[in-house]
Amino acid sequence: MKILIIEDESELLTEISLFLNDAGFTCELANQFQVALEKISLYEYDIILLDIGLPDGNGLELINSIKRKDRRTGVIIISAKDSLNDKISGLDLGADDYITKPFQLSELNSRIKAILRRQRFEGTELLQFNEITISTDQKTVMISGVPIVLTKKEYDLLLFFLVNRNRLLTKETIAEHLWGDNIDLADNFDFIYTHINNLRKKILLHSSNDYIKTVYGMGYKFME
Amino acid sequence: MFVIITHVVNQELDEELTGISHRISKMLTASNETNNIEPFLRIYRVKNATESSSFSDTLVRNEAENEMEEFRQLTVTKKINSAYYKIVIRESKLESKDLIETLAGITLLAILFLTTTLIFINKKVANSIWKPFFKNLKIIGKFSVAEQSSVNLEQTGITEFDTLNDVLTRLTGQIISDFQNLKQFSENASHEIQTPLAIISAKLENLQNDPSLTEKQFTIIRSIQNSVLRLSKLNQGLILLSKIENNQFFEVEPINLQKIIQGKLAEFQELLELQKITVETQWSDDFTIKSNLMLAELLINNLISNSINHNSPDGLIRIIQKENSLEIYNTGRTEIMHPERLFSRFYKENVSSKSVGLGLAIVHKICEMQKWQISYARLDDSHCFRIVFNA
């Protein structure tokens, strides 16, 4: 899977590529509008991460070039502005998602994977991890072929874990992913604990493996 | 006026009477005959007197009409041909009274006419002179700093007003440019902070997955990461507040609050279940308000998340929507120490709270901008927020 990261802030560029390389992607980097334009016209990418606040051009204009070349290339806009107008015009131009700085890399990863699923398999892909099977199309989960009933948030949580497996996820990251800006859960992380415990119990009903590992008692890791 | 006219008339009469008295004196000098013409003239001889003359007002009975009439009277004592005569001359004041009345009437009419014309003309002139002023006043009244251009005032052709307009145009232009600068500065500052925050956050997240980290190091990294998250939320909250203040959510549409509340409750369903919080709702039929959808959702979101966050275990949230108001109650054992500061930015009831403390400030700002009244009350064991919407 090839990803082009267009971001003028080199430090951020490095960190994102480090993370995505780790997650198994091949990354190419562009820190200027012109460089980005060149790469877009020369190579094929599965996903393009696009910071629209480039110093030498409006990143929004790149979306057209990207989509003209290959409609299936996924575009995620990265913006420092939580601006509704930018979001709307970006999505109108054909961007697939919009993420506001600062973001969690695990969150970015889960967005990338979601786009890949949608585009490569029209959403019908079955996500498989050992005995756990997730149908992202139906939003259903089966363990060893037996369907289990999860609440919406438990499903989101399991998917987030699976996509970011072997990575440490703190309660804050998980809370952000599940509830976003809707509620400030800073004082109530017990919610997360209960969520995870419920999910763990449901999985353990049908499986003997507890994949959700508690790390240092502060975060969680989904691993074998 | 009356006094003046009376005085003038009296003087006139007095002169006339004096004239008559002179002629009578001459007549007497010539013939010594005294003819009385009552009541206008009476002459009689007096002994041992001094020469004198005096004017007075008197009333004399008019035989024909049997009425008392007013007369001006001149009493002269004079020595004529070595004898003293007392001459009393009277002149009716009736005519002069008529005259006074007529005069007064005419004057009054004239004054009345003049005054009305003056008022009328004044009004006409004032209207045409002040018209552009009031028009400009209206324009100034509608002035808002959020607009991009300074006020466009009409030329009046009146020097004073035009000077005022010039000053106002310059002043509003200055205000707008200052405001834009300030706005741009705070927007830039807020947005530029986001990128370094993103770098810090990304670096920490990568670092956090380093397998060689000790537990102590990890604790520090996590604490930094939480601070970054908080800073970012704080920044976003402040940007949102200034956006609301700048009236950037201006599109207004009829909004069904019940739908929004039910949507939010569904969204928070799992949190409510985890906390074992019961929700009771009470609706009035088909109540819609006019507002911006984003703001209405934000308002409801913040109020409901507030009532979840500050609820007691196995608690209750009661939402009552009345015809023109919304009440949200939630159980909570502890009383609020400073209810008057509840809606201020960064106010935290619990000092150790890690929350940003902008949720209710945003609620308050939204209400302020939409001219809704929001109030807080402590009822029994509940916190109650009440919003009264303007119809």
Side-chain angles (χ1 to χ4, degrees), chain B residues 27-277:
Chain B
M27 224 168 67
L28 283 175
T29 322
S31 69
N32 257 5
E33 242 174 273
T34 59
N35 289 324
N36 283 354
I37 312 162
E38 288 289 353
F40 300 106
L41 179 64
R42 180 189 293 164
I43 305 167
Y44 42 90
R45 225 178 269 217
V46 282
K47 286 173 197 166
N48 298 332
T50 46
E51 287 200 351
S52 70
S53 106
S54 70
F55 294 101
S56 61
D57 288 325
T58 182
L59 289 172
V60 177
R61 182 169 296 276
N62 181 338
E63 300 294 337
E65 291 171 34
N66 197 21
E67 258 179 8
M68 300 301 276
E69 273 180 11
E70 239 184 299
F71 280 82
R72 185 78 179 164
Q73 166 181 298
L74 172 65
T75 316
V76 185
T77 317
K78 222 173 180 170
K79 194 181 173 189
I80 299 164
N81 298 339
S82 70
Y84 285 100
Y85 290 90
K86 189 172 185 178
I87 308 163
V88 180
I89 313 162
R90 294 195 185 107
E91 186 84 44
S92 172
K93 277 180 92 174
L94 211 60
E95 281 166 44
S96 60
K97 211 177 157 192
D98 282 350
L99 183 73
I100 289 171
E101 273 169 14
T102 316
L103 259 175
I106 289 169
T107 321
L108 219 72
L109 265 176
I111 289 172
L112 215 72
F113 175 73
L114 264 172
T115 319
T116 17
T117 340
L118 254 174
I119 290 172
F120 184 72
I121 292 172
N122 215 18
K123 243 188 175 163
K124 272 264 173 191
V125 172
N127 253 355
S128 65
I129 290 177
W130 290 90
K131 203 176 171 185
F133 176 80
F134 283 116
K135 202 172 170 190
N136 286 340
L137 202 64
K138 230 181 216 170
I139 298 174
I140 297 164
K142 281 185 195 148
F143 171 71
S144 141
V145 276
E147 273 168 39
Q148 298 294 316
S149 62
S150 59
V151 289
N152 195 6
L153 297 173
E154 195 176 279
Q155 283 295 310
T156 57
I158 295 158
T159 323
E160 288 83 353
F161 289 166
D162 283 344
T163 317
L164 182 71
N165 289 354
D166 282 349
V167 172
L168 279 175
T169 311
R170 238 179 320 126
L171 209 65
T172 49
Q174 187 63 41
I175 291 170
I176 285 168
S177 93
D178 283 356
F179 177 74
Q180 292 295 338
N181 281 343
L182 198 67
K183 208 172 94 177
Q184 205 170 19
F185 170 77
S186 52
E187 268 173 14
N188 286 348
S190 307
H191 289 141
E192 290 312 310
I193 286 171
Q194 302 290 67
T195 303
L197 280 179
I199 297 170
I200 300 171
S201 166
K203 279 191 187 287
L204 288 173
E205 210 181 331
N206 278 337
L207 188 59
Q208 177 182 276
N209 277 289
D210 187 335
S212 64
L213 273 186
T214 65
E215 189 176 338
K216 203 174 153 194
Q217 286 166 329
F218 179 79
T219 314
I220 295 170
I221 289 172
R222 188 162 170 263
S223 150
I224 301 172
Q225 200 160 32
N226 288 346
S227 299
V228 170
L229 190 71
R230 211 174 126 196
L231 186 57
S232 140
K233 290 215 165 214
L234 198 93
N235 203 20
Q236 276 165 9
L238 288 174
I239 292 174
L240 187 62
L241 264 172
S242 73
K243 270 187 188 170
I244 297 170
E245 242 167 33
N246 291 346
N247 224 348
Q248 285 179 18
F249 303 97
F250 51 85
E251 282 156 33
V252 170
E253 54 191 297
I255 282 165
N256 186 339
L257 267 190
Q258 189 179 337
K259 243 183 216 162
I260 294 181
I261 295 170
Q262 280 167 339
K264 281 291 163 196
L265 287 176
E267 222 174 276
F268 288 130
Q269 182 67 34
E270 284 184 43
L271 278 184
L272 293 166
E273 278 169 14
L274 288 177
Q275 285 279 87
K276 296 192 178 65
I277 295 171

Side-chain angles (χ1 to χ4, degrees), chain A residues 171-172 175 183-193, chain B residues 222 226 229-230 233 271 275 305-306 308-311 347-358:
Chain A
K171 286 178 189 168
E172 291 80 7
I183 184 165
D184 191 351
L185 289 174
D187 296 329
N188 284 307
F189 281 117
D190 292 348
F191 288 146
I192 302 304
Y193 176 76
Chain B
R222 188 162 170 263
N226 288 346
L229 190 71
R230 211 174 126 196
K233 290 215 165 214
L271 278 184
Q275 285 279 87
S305 64
N306 185 69
I308 295 173
N309 266 339
H310 301 286
N311 217 316
Y347 173 70
K348 279 181 213 164
E349 193 55 28
N350 178 1
V351 188
S352 64
S353 163
K354 292 191 196 84
S355 89
V356 176
L358 283 176

